[in-house]
Amino acid sequence: MMISYLVPLVLVVMILAASIRILPEYKRGVVFFLGRYQAVKGPGLIIIIPGIQKMEVVDLRVITMDVPEQDVISQDNVTVKVNAVLYFRVVDPEKAIIQVENFTVATSQLAQTTLRSVLGKHDLDEMLSERDKLNDDIQEILDSQTESWGIKVANVEIKHVDLDESMIRAIARQAEAERERRAKVIHAEGELQASRKLVEAANVMAENSAALQLRYLQTMSDMSNKNASTIVFPLPMDIMEAFKQMKASPAAQTRTQAPTDPEA
């Protein structure tokens, strides 16, 4: 007699256990009634009729996915190995369950193909120096293609760009040549600036003879401070002026310009 009451009670308990679902705040349940989409429910207590209704649970938190290492041939025909990390989340549980069989696998495969196609359109130098721009391009393409799946791609970050050893040596030689080129350009610019300053100084000294005299005395002072065995005899600047006047006198010019008689 007791068994006849116990069996229905056990069945009722089992049905209630299969009917009651509790979803946390970060999950939603996509409910199907006899195979047809009914509603998105949650969070909290949800009652499902066993055998008639079915619920697929979707996590709404940001998912971090590691994009496997991909072999990429750049636009300048350099083979590199690139991997990245992808951040995305489900914003529409209905589309994530109905429009695609497995949105996680689909997003992963799409990220791999997009990574290869986008990086293949750029040179190696752009891969190494413009990662932010490449990340934005990949994120924009993935976001537009996964929008119909109810997925929002938040961010894409390229982690590593691995090069062959021979390519690393070639890049090192290129960097060394670039540094040498910059050093030569800087040296040439310094020589140009110094020559301009020397011309300006010469013009100033030409305007005032006292400036040349002061520079002469400063040079003598610098030479005397050094521990050298050189003996310097100062020559007054007035003597140089006298030689200049003698050279410019009319008699000197007459002797210089007098023609010589070939028959003499």
Side-chain angles (χ1 to χ4, degrees), residues 83-87 132 135 155-159:
N83 61 350
V85 60
L86 176 67
Y87 301 91
D132 293 338
N135 293 336
N155 194 14
V156 178
E157 293 289 341
I158 298 175
K159 293 197 297 184

Side-chain angles (χ1 to χ4, degrees), residues 15-36:
I15 292 174
L16 291 175
S19 301
I20 298 176
R21 304 286 181 85
I22 298 177
L23 294 180
E25 182 66 31
Y26 54 84
K27 289 185 179 181
R28 298 293 184 271
V30 181
V31 180
F32 296 89
F33 184 80
L34 295 177
R36 295 178 63 86

Side-chain angles (χ1 to χ4, degrees), residues 124-125 128 163 166-176:
L124 178 61
D125 293 339
L128 299 176
L163 302 174
S166 59
M167 183 56 60
I168 294 176
R169 290 192 294 270
I171 293 176
R173 291 194 299 269
Q174 179 183 0
E176 183 179 359

